[in-house]
Amino acid sequence: MDDKLQKSMESTIELIDAKKAEFKDVKGMEPLIEFMNESLVNIWLRAQADELDESWLDAIKLDFERIERSCKYDAGLMSPEDAAARKKLLDFFNSPSDLPPEVK
């Protein structure tokens, strides 16, 4: 494993450790902790099988951010402005489509 990949792996593991410590006892953040635990296992398995790559680690970090935002919204931990913006986004995507039937 080259140095750049090693550093990326270490930073991802540090991120997992930090987020797990931050949200360890926070109700509503269990899905994030579970996903991080699964990701940690996958990181070590991929590293052992020499299948670990930097783009996959970057994608995992983006997944952490997405799941964290979702869990924070569900748990009521977002700022009112962020929660309102997320609600608008969810309402937009969950609203009925105004496209004609032949396009749907």
Side-chain angles (χ1 to χ4, degrees):
M1 183 179 317
D2 65 5
D3 286 343
K4 189 174 179 184
L5 182 59
Q6 180 71 30
K7 287 179 184 178
S8 184
M9 183 178 104
E10 289 171 2
S11 73
T12 304
I13 291 171
E14 289 171 6
L15 174 68
I16 290 171
D17 291 341
K19 291 293 181 180
K20 283 172 58 176
E22 180 181 353
F23 297 119
K24 182 174 89 174
D25 297 323
V26 178
K27 186 175 173 134
M29 299 303 285
E30 295 86 4
L32 176 64
I33 300 297
E34 183 179 327
F35 181 73
M36 288 185 158
N37 288 334
E38 291 172 5
S39 298
L40 191 57
V41 170
N42 284 326
I43 289 169
W44 288 113
L45 288 174
R46 283 176 177 252
Q48 293 301 315
D50 201 30
E51 294 180 359
L52 190 63
D53 62 61
E54 202 167 345
S55 62
W56 183 80
L57 289 170
D58 292 340
I60 286 294
K61 290 176 187 177
L62 291 173
D63 285 345
F64 293 159
E65 292 175 14
R66 179 185 51 81
I67 294 170
E68 180 181 355
R69 282 192 308 270
S70 177
C71 289
K72 280 184 172 182
Y73 177 77
D74 293 342
L77 300 174
M78 282 186 153
S79 69
E81 297 84 18
D82 289 342
R86 181 151 179 93
K87 181 170 178 7
K88 284 182 182 179
L89 184 68
L90 291 173
D91 289 346
F92 172 76
F93 283 109
N94 292 327
S95 66
S97 173
D98 60 351
L99 295 173
E102 61 271 7
V103 177
K104 293 180 186 179

